[in-house]
Amino acid sequence: MFMKQRKLVQIIEKLKNIVRSEHVLTSYEERYCYSRDASLYWAMPDVVVRPHTTEEIVEIVKLANKEKIPITPRGAGTNLTGGAIPVKGGIVVDMTGMNRILEINRTNLIAVVEPGVVHEDLEKELAKHGLFWPPDPASTYSCTIGGAIAECAGGMRALKYGTTRDWVLGLEVVLPTGDVIKTGAMTLKNVTGFDLTRLFVGSEGTLGIITKAVLKVRPLPEALLRMSAAFYEIEIAGLAVSKIFETGIVPTIIEIISIECIRAINEWLKLGLPEVDALMVIDLDGTREEVEKLAGKVEKILKDVGAIEIKRATTAKEMEDLYLARRAAYPSTFRAFRKSLTVDDFCVPVNKLPEAFRLAREISKKWRLPMAIIAHAGDGNIHPIWPVDVRYPEEIDRVLKCHTELSHGILKLGGSISAEHGIGILKASLIEEEYGKKAIEVMRAIKRVFDPNDIMNPGKIAL
Ligand SMILES: Cc1cc2nc3c(=O)[nH]c(=O)nc-3n(C[C@H](O)[C@H](O)[C@H](O)COP(=O)(O)OP(=O)(O)OC[C@H]3O[C@@H](n4cnc5c(N)ncnc54)[C@H](O)[C@@H]3O)c2cc1C
């Protein structure tokens, strides 16, 4: 309990005057459900509130700001760096009640949504209109659009289409003072003043609560061709990515999963994937003629580099199985390791992928940690995954030391400590090493402008 009991009782009463009383959660069990996300971290909120309108959020934030109570916005809690953990207690604002798709406009190629819309629900609804929104985190079944925006989520299609920041045209945001601002526009172009939209994208709930988003959408491509390639060594799979780019081809996705994931997927889903060191999945989209032509070229490159089994998915089931293999890589590995997972997230220049894979394996071995690798390899984005039993501090400590040593190595390769999972708590101590002192000072100054009382998701991103 972070707040004094008497004050908490008063705050709860005030919250119940803002939202219906059943949307104010106070029991230990209810609050416990909001004490974790998909990271290692844990902290109990004093109270959870579930608003359904921007007006309710304004009142909640004004109350929190007046009383200087920490406030943590939360979508589905799937982030992997501790972003949704209320480290200083206070109020968790569960945004999943604001889950309406307000507009899909095929002519203007936009969709307007509330932040609690689940990614997969939007994907399905857009598909009915022949459209899609390119960011596609593998957590699609549960993560929210607000969470994806706050984390600048990427996913598989980021290779061809870019990450969330490239697909948000405008936002409505409740600032930590309770003021509501609009950023960007409903238009495909807009350069009216500073780009506040991009400032909020990836700000991890530290600058305000997103209450509405205007998304840029695209027509679904006419054709999608999927293929897989097996490799005896993951480093060779990494090299294949550079070779594909050198010919001027940029596929829609290039994903790699390591042997530990392949075995785990086969054991659970019986997909019969080849049990080699690394499996690559490639998607090409465009017109039928385009994808056919490109597929032939890609197959030749893969063969020349040393892929041992190159297969095109020829039926809907084969297409779905390959996609499922990639999407199920996290849960399958979780099931196989029988422990919680720490999923790390780095990005390296694509030509450094082989070295990054080697380094991740060497350092994990040094710290006596089994490791699986999932990579959005086309972006140079690798996710080393370590099992950890969070009941044992020694195990957590070893995972964190391994993560820190690998982070230093990735920076030396010219990489970045965060590609798409944000900084949260996990990486707060490393951000200065990537950007330097001055850049962090600038970020802190920006934070103070938005949030003079430091109430909005405090303790994150080293702010
Ligand atoms: C199995 C699995 C697979 C994943 N795969 C990917 C992947 O492929 N690519 C990828 O990029 N990520 C991936 N992730 C990470 C995560 O799912 C994404 O970051 C996701 O977008 C988070 O959405 P969420 O609704 O769960 O947000 P939460 O975890 O609830 O919150 C994330 C952050 O956003 C803030 N926030 C939430 N809603 C709002 C709002 N309305 N206004 C302001 N701030 C807000 C929170 O305070 C927090 O800091 C994966 C996670 C898991 C568990």
Side-chain angles (χ1 to χ4, degrees):
M1 192 73 66
F2 286 82
M3 253 189 272
K4 293 239 165 55
Q5 187 61 31
R6 238 181 79 208
K7 183 170 176 190
L8 179 59
V9 170
Q10 287 167 1
I11 296 297
I12 289 171
E13 275 320 300
K14 286 182 181 166
L15 288 172
K16 285 183 179 170
N17 287 330
I18 298 172
V19 300
R20 282 166 46 181
S21 61
E22 68 262 34
H23 296 311
V24 181
L25 312 181
T26 56
S27 75
Y28 181 87
E29 292 78 2
E30 287 166 326
R31 290 181 297 119
Y32 186 84
C33 297
Y34 292 83
S35 67
R36 285 198 175 280
D37 52 20
S39 72
L40 282 172
Y41 302 99
W42 183 90
M44 281 289 258
D46 292 298
V47 55
V48 178
V49 61
R50 305 190 64 213
H52 289 75
T53 64
T54 303
E55 292 71 27
E56 287 177 350
I57 294 177
V58 167
E59 292 309 313
I60 295 163
V61 173
K62 278 187 176 164
L63 173 67
N65 194 40
K66 182 164 170 261
E67 302 285 345
K68 301 198 176 38
I69 299 167
I71 192 163
T72 305
R74 180 181 174 106
T78 66
N79 88 89
L80 293 152
T81 53
I85 302 292
V87 280
K88 297 194 176 165
I91 305 170
V92 163
V93 182
D94 174 346
M95 297 300 294
T96 55
M98 287 185 72
N99 61 354
R100 290 176 305 158
I101 297 173
L102 302 171
E103 183 183 346
I104 292 177
N105 192 320
R106 205 182 190 292
T107 309
N108 293 341
L109 291 176
I110 60 161
V112 184
V113 300
E114 289 184 336
V117 171
V118 170
H119 183 276
E120 189 191 36
D121 293 344
L122 178 65
E123 181 127 319
K124 282 186 180 158
E125 208 48 45
L126 285 172
K128 291 182 194 161
H129 299 260
L131 297 168
F132 77 116
W133 188 58
D136 63 338
S139 49
T140 174
Y141 312 116
S142 46
C143 80
T144 64
I145 300 302
I149 294 172
E151 291 288 336
C152 189
M156 300 188 242
R157 298 187 290 231
L159 169 59
K160 179 163 178 180
Y161 293 101
T163 59
T164 296
R165 65 165 54 98
D166 302 306
W167 297 95
V168 181
L169 295 169
L171 296 170
E172 177 187 88
V173 184
V174 178
L175 299 180
T177 50
D179 297 302
V180 181
I181 62 163
K182 162 187 176 280
T183 74
M186 300 276 281
T187 53
L188 294 178
K189 276 185 176 174
N190 154 260
V191 61
T192 311
F194 289 166
D195 190 347
L196 296 180
T197 307
R198 280 200 167 210
L199 184 58
F200 281 103
V201 177
S203 64
E204 301 186 36
T206 61
L207 300 180
I209 302 185
I210 297 158
T211 47
K212 202 192 286 179
V214 184
L215 309 176
K216 181 164 72 168
V217 296
R218 279 285 172 266
L220 280 163
E222 177 190 305
L224 184 71
L225 189 149
R226 184 161 295 150
M227 61 171 78
S228 63
F231 292 86
Y232 283 131
E233 286 175 45
I234 197 166
E235 287 94 331
I236 305 295
L239 177 68
V241 179
S242 306
K243 296 292 171 198
I244 294 171
F245 289 174
E246 279 166 15
T247 60
I249 298 172
V250 179
T252 313
I253 73 169
I254 306 181
E255 297 287 311
I256 292 176
I257 52 177
S258 72
I259 178 65
E260 298 80 5
C261 298
I262 299 170
R263 283 203 192 110
I265 294 163
N266 279 344
E267 195 187 301
W268 187 26
L269 301 171
K270 315 278 180 254
L271 292 185
L273 303 173
E275 297 204 353
V276 285
D277 195 38
L279 184 73
M280 181 180 273
V281 178
I282 298 179
D283 274 7
L284 297 157
D285 70 12
T287 62
R288 268 173 239 297
E289 300 76 47
E290 267 166 8
V291 297
E292 275 298 325
K293 204 166 121 196
L294 292 179
K297 288 187 185 171
V298 171
E299 278 162 346
K300 180 169 180 332
I301 300 161
L302 293 171
K303 215 163 158 188
D304 290 349
V305 176
I308 49 168
E309 200 179 303
I310 303 160
K311 265 193 184 164
R312 282 192 203 189
T314 52
T315 63
K317 176 158 183 350
E318 282 174 6
M319 289 277 280
E320 192 42 47
D321 279 357
L322 273 182
Y323 208 54
L324 179 64
R326 172 54 189 89
R327 278 263 157 90
Y330 286 120
S332 306
T333 313
F334 175 70
R335 191 176 166 274
F337 282 141
R338 295 184 200 289
K339 284 185 179 182
S340 300
L341 299 181
T342 297
V343 182
D344 218 326
D345 170 45
F346 300 110
C347 212
V348 291
V350 165
N351 67 348
K352 295 285 168 62
L353 269 173
E355 252 177 283
F357 288 140
R358 201 160 36 243
L359 195 66
R361 281 189 167 164
E362 273 168 23
I363 294 175
S364 301
K365 200 167 162 201
K366 175 182 154 190
W367 290 101
R368 292 175 286 112
L369 288 169
M371 182 195 59
I373 296 178
I374 297 174
H376 301 303
D379 297 315
N381 181 187
I382 70 169
H383 297 312
I385 302 176
W386 301 290
V388 56
D389 190 330
V390 288
R391 290 171 305 172
Y392 300 109
E394 183 280 330
E395 235 176 84
I396 297 180
D397 187 53
R398 209 148 28 92
V399 168
L400 289 177
K401 282 182 172 142
C402 178
H403 146 78
T404 304
E405 186 172 341
L406 185 53
S407 304
H408 296 321
I410 292 290
L411 287 172
K412 280 197 191 114
L413 290 179
S416 172
I417 56 164
S418 178
E420 55 175 19
H421 293 173
I423 296 297
I425 307 167
L426 180 69
K427 303 193 171 198
S429 63
L430 290 161
I431 181 169
E432 197 173 308
E433 189 174 332
E434 179 164 338
Y435 283 145
K437 242 186 176 51
K438 193 67 207 171
I440 309 304
E441 274 172 27
V442 172
M443 288 189 205
R444 287 186 183 138
I446 291 171
K447 165 78 171 164
R448 281 196 298 277
V449 169
F450 283 89
D451 186 11
N453 291 322
D454 193 23
I455 58 154
M456 194 56 73
N457 207 358
K460 309 292 164 63
I461 331 184
L463 296 174

